[in-house]
């Protein structure tokens, strides 16, 4: 384990298994549709790629970049 990580909440295997389960759910739910899968940058990149691989229906991919700050105050 990395020295800067105090506690691991979920193992890689647990995360991988859950992504596979979610992929199966989304595949079933959108079987006869053409979904657009939108990821919010920047933190979603790895999860997004793993999830898209598990969705077995044709889909479009897109990204959004959003911010909750304008200037020095939260909006």
């Amino acid at each position: 384990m990395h020295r800067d990580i105090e506690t691991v909440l979920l193992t890689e295997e647990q995360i991988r298994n859950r992504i596979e389960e979610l992929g199966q759910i989304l595949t079933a739910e959108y079987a006869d549709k053409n979904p657009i899968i939108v990821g919010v940058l920047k933190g979603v990149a790895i999860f997004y790629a793993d999830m898209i691989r598990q969705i077995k229906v044709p889909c479009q991919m897109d990204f959004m970049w959003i911010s909750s700050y304008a200037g020095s105050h939260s909006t």
Side-chain angles (χ1 to χ4, degrees):
M1 182 166 29
H2 297 283
R3 286 184 227 146
D4 58 336
I5 298 175
E6 186 175 317
T7 304
V8 174
L9 300 177
L10 300 169
T11 66
E12 287 183 44
E13 183 178 358
Q14 289 173 308
I15 294 169
R16 194 173 19 259
N17 289 340
R18 185 59 178 148
I19 289 172
E20 186 175 324
E21 290 171 12
L22 291 171
Q24 291 170 358
I25 291 167
L26 292 170
T27 296
E29 189 169 324
Y30 293 97
D32 57 349
K33 299 177 177 125
N34 185 22
I36 301 172
I37 312 298
V38 179
V40 179
L41 294 172
K42 295 185 181 184
V44 76
I46 304 302
F47 170 79
Y48 187 84
D50 290 344
M51 177 59 68
I52 290 296
R53 286 186 195 99
Q54 297 302 318
I55 299 173
K56 307 301 183 195
V57 296
C59 59
Q60 296 179 43
M61 298 168 55
D62 207 346
F63 291 93
M64 291 176 60
W65 180 36
I66 59 176
S67 175
S68 63
Y69 295 94
S72 61
H73 302 319
S74 178
T75 56

